[in-house]
Amino acid sequence: MIYYNKNKKVILSMLLIMLNITFLFAQTIIEGNVIDFQTNRSLKDVTLTLENETHSNNKQVVVSNDKGEFLFNVDFPKGTYLLTVSAINYETKKNRIFINEDKKIRIDFVLTPINLEYF
């Protein structure tokens, strides 16, 4: 009987630990489009970087497709993240996102071309 109680306590403890770990992480989908401010056309090959502001090892990078669409499927610890959007000849945009629960987030970006004048 004592052996059974010890096993029961160990199993219960492990279940509680696993349950706590799942509450520390959030399965979040972040999706959207990137378009050009002047032409209102979709921008492809735009680099989007999602990085945890506290733990820089939690980082994910995606590139927009031909329709300007992007998708992050995030399984990071809950917290504040910086989403950086950059493309050649366009101004870089940055947004802070707080991930605290499982959800779907939609963000669209409008990038402004950099004025390239040669003297």
Side-chain angles (χ1 to χ4, degrees), residues 3 7-8 12 14 19 31 33 40-41 44-45 47 53 65 84 97 107 111:
Y3 180 72
N7 280 343
K8 189 176 179 181
L12 184 59
M14 291 182 71
L19 189 59
E31 65 180 0
N33 287 328
N40 207 30
R41 291 186 179 178
K44 68 176 185 172
D45 299 327
T47 303
E53 290 190 322
N65 64 18
T84 304
I97 298 173
I107 303 175
L111 297 186

Short mmCIF file of all heavy atoms in Angstrom, two decimals, residues 3 7-8 12 14 19 31 33 40-41 44-45 47 53 65 84 97 107 111:
data_model
loop_
_atom_site.label_atom_id
_atom_site.label_comp_id
_atom_site.label_asym_id
_atom_site.label_seq_id
_atom_site.Cartn_x
_atom_site.Cartn_y
_atom_site.Cartn_z
N TYR A 3 3.85 1.57 -1.31
CA TYR A 3 4.42 1.68 -2.65
C TYR A 3 3.43 2.32 -3.62
O TYR A 3 3.78 3.19 -4.41
CB TYR A 3 4.84 0.29 -3.13
CG TYR A 3 5.45 0.29 -4.51
CD1 TYR A 3 6.73 0.79 -4.71
CD2 TYR A 3 4.75 -0.22 -5.60
CE1 TYR A 3 7.29 0.80 -5.97
CE2 TYR A 3 5.31 -0.22 -6.85
CZ TYR A 3 6.58 0.29 -7.02
OH TYR A 3 7.14 0.29 -8.27
N ASN A 7 3.84 6.01 -5.79
CA ASN A 7 3.67 6.11 -7.24
C ASN A 7 2.57 7.10 -7.60
O ASN A 7 2.68 7.85 -8.56
CB ASN A 7 3.34 4.74 -7.84
CG ASN A 7 4.57 3.88 -8.01
OD1 ASN A 7 5.69 4.38 -7.99
ND2 ASN A 7 4.36 2.58 -8.15
N LYS A 8 1.53 7.08 -6.83
CA LYS A 8 0.42 8.00 -7.07
C LYS A 8 0.87 9.44 -6.90
O LYS A 8 0.52 10.31 -7.70
CB LYS A 8 -0.73 7.66 -6.11
CG LYS A 8 -2.01 8.38 -6.39
CD LYS A 8 -3.09 7.88 -5.44
CE LYS A 8 -4.40 8.60 -5.67
NZ LYS A 8 -5.43 8.15 -4.75
N LEU A 12 1.02 12.20 -9.89
CA LEU A 12 0.28 13.44 -9.68
C LEU A 12 1.21 14.65 -9.79
O LEU A 12 0.88 15.65 -10.42
CB LEU A 12 -0.43 13.42 -8.33
CG LEU A 12 -1.32 14.61 -8.01
CD1 LEU A 12 -2.41 14.76 -9.06
CD2 LEU A 12 -1.94 14.47 -6.63
N MET A 14 4.02 14.86 -11.48
CA MET A 14 4.43 15.03 -12.88
C MET A 14 3.31 15.66 -13.70
O MET A 14 3.56 16.50 -14.55
CB MET A 14 4.86 13.69 -13.47
CG MET A 14 6.16 13.19 -12.87
SD MET A 14 6.70 11.64 -13.58
CE MET A 14 7.18 12.18 -15.20
N LEU A 19 1.18 20.37 -16.56
CA LEU A 19 0.08 21.32 -16.69
C LEU A 19 0.58 22.75 -16.53
O LEU A 19 0.19 23.63 -17.29
CB LEU A 19 -1.00 21.01 -15.65
CG LEU A 19 -2.31 21.74 -15.77
CD1 LEU A 19 -2.95 21.46 -17.12
CD2 LEU A 19 -3.25 21.35 -14.65
N GLU A 31 -1.01 36.57 -38.47
CA GLU A 31 -1.06 36.59 -39.93
C GLU A 31 -1.44 37.98 -40.43
O GLU A 31 -1.95 38.81 -39.68
CB GLU A 31 -2.07 35.56 -40.45
CG GLU A 31 -3.49 35.87 -40.07
CD GLU A 31 -4.48 34.84 -40.59
OE1 GLU A 31 -4.07 33.88 -41.25
OE2 GLU A 31 -5.68 35.01 -40.34
N ASN A 33 -1.05 40.89 -44.17
CA ASN A 33 -0.55 41.25 -45.50
C ASN A 33 0.39 42.44 -45.38
O ASN A 33 0.27 43.24 -44.46
CB ASN A 33 -1.71 41.65 -46.42
CG ASN A 33 -2.55 40.47 -46.85
OD1 ASN A 33 -2.05 39.37 -46.99
ND2 ASN A 33 -3.82 40.71 -47.05
N ASN A 40 -0.47 50.59 -53.43
CA ASN A 40 -1.48 49.74 -52.80
C ASN A 40 -1.39 48.28 -53.29
O ASN A 40 -2.35 47.53 -53.20
CB ASN A 40 -2.89 50.29 -53.02
CG ASN A 40 -3.83 49.87 -51.91
OD1 ASN A 40 -3.43 49.67 -50.77
ND2 ASN A 40 -5.10 49.72 -52.24
N ARG A 41 -0.22 47.90 -53.80
CA ARG A 41 0.02 46.53 -54.26
C ARG A 41 0.68 45.70 -53.17
O ARG A 41 1.40 46.21 -52.33
CB ARG A 41 0.90 46.53 -55.51
CG ARG A 41 0.21 47.10 -56.71
CD ARG A 41 1.05 46.94 -57.92
NE ARG A 41 0.35 47.48 -59.08
CZ ARG A 41 0.86 47.52 -60.27
NH1 ARG A 41 2.07 47.08 -60.50
NH2 ARG A 41 0.15 48.03 -61.26
N LYS A 44 5.96 41.23 -51.98
CA LYS A 44 6.49 39.90 -51.71
C LYS A 44 7.94 40.03 -51.21
O LYS A 44 8.57 41.08 -51.35
CB LYS A 44 6.42 39.01 -52.95
CG LYS A 44 7.34 39.42 -54.08
CD LYS A 44 7.25 38.43 -55.21
CE LYS A 44 8.27 38.80 -56.27
NZ LYS A 44 8.35 37.77 -57.30
N ASP A 45 8.42 38.97 -50.62
CA ASP A 45 9.80 38.87 -50.11
C ASP A 45 10.12 39.89 -49.03
O ASP A 45 11.26 40.32 -48.89
CB ASP A 45 10.81 38.99 -51.26
CG ASP A 45 10.65 37.87 -52.28
OD1 ASP A 45 10.28 36.75 -51.87
OD2 ASP A 45 10.89 38.12 -53.48
N THR A 47 10.73 40.66 -45.20
CA THR A 47 11.18 39.89 -44.05
C THR A 47 10.46 40.37 -42.79
O THR A 47 10.46 41.57 -42.49
CB THR A 47 12.71 40.04 -43.86
OG1 THR A 47 13.36 39.61 -45.05
CG2 THR A 47 13.19 39.22 -42.68
N GLU A 53 11.18 40.15 -26.40
CA GLU A 53 11.98 41.27 -25.91
C GLU A 53 12.84 40.89 -24.71
O GLU A 53 13.82 41.54 -24.42
CB GLU A 53 11.09 42.46 -25.58
CG GLU A 53 10.49 43.09 -26.80
CD GLU A 53 9.80 44.39 -26.51
OE1 GLU A 53 9.15 44.51 -25.45
OE2 GLU A 53 9.91 45.30 -27.34
N ASN A 65 4.74 36.06 -49.01
CA ASN A 65 4.64 35.35 -50.29
C ASN A 65 4.30 36.32 -51.43
O ASN A 65 4.29 37.54 -51.25
CB ASN A 65 3.62 34.20 -50.19
CG ASN A 65 2.20 34.68 -49.93
OD1 ASN A 65 1.86 35.85 -50.14
ND2 ASN A 65 1.36 33.77 -49.50
N THR A 84 9.23 43.03 -36.36
CA THR A 84 9.93 43.96 -37.25
C THR A 84 9.66 43.56 -38.69
O THR A 84 9.79 42.39 -39.06
CB THR A 84 11.45 43.93 -36.98
OG1 THR A 84 11.68 44.21 -35.59
CG2 THR A 84 12.17 44.96 -37.82
N ILE A 97 3.84 43.24 -29.69
CA ILE A 97 2.71 42.34 -29.56
C ILE A 97 2.84 41.63 -28.21
O ILE A 97 3.93 41.14 -27.87
CB ILE A 97 2.70 41.29 -30.69
CG1 ILE A 97 2.56 41.98 -32.03
CG2 ILE A 97 1.60 40.28 -30.48
CD1 ILE A 97 2.71 41.06 -33.20
N ILE A 107 -2.59 41.29 -38.44
CA ILE A 107 -1.93 42.60 -38.55
C ILE A 107 -1.55 42.81 -40.01
O ILE A 107 -0.89 41.97 -40.61
CB ILE A 107 -0.64 42.66 -37.70
CG1 ILE A 107 -0.92 42.34 -36.24
CG2 ILE A 107 0.00 44.03 -37.82
CD1 ILE A 107 0.31 42.28 -35.39
N LEU A 111 3.90 49.60 -46.06
CA LEU A 111 5.27 50.10 -46.06
C LEU A 111 5.43 51.27 -47.01
O LEU A 111 4.88 51.27 -48.12
CB LEU A 111 6.25 48.99 -46.45
CG LEU A 111 6.33 47.78 -45.51
CD1 LEU A 111 7.45 46.84 -45.96
CD2 LEU A 111 6.52 48.20 -44.08
#
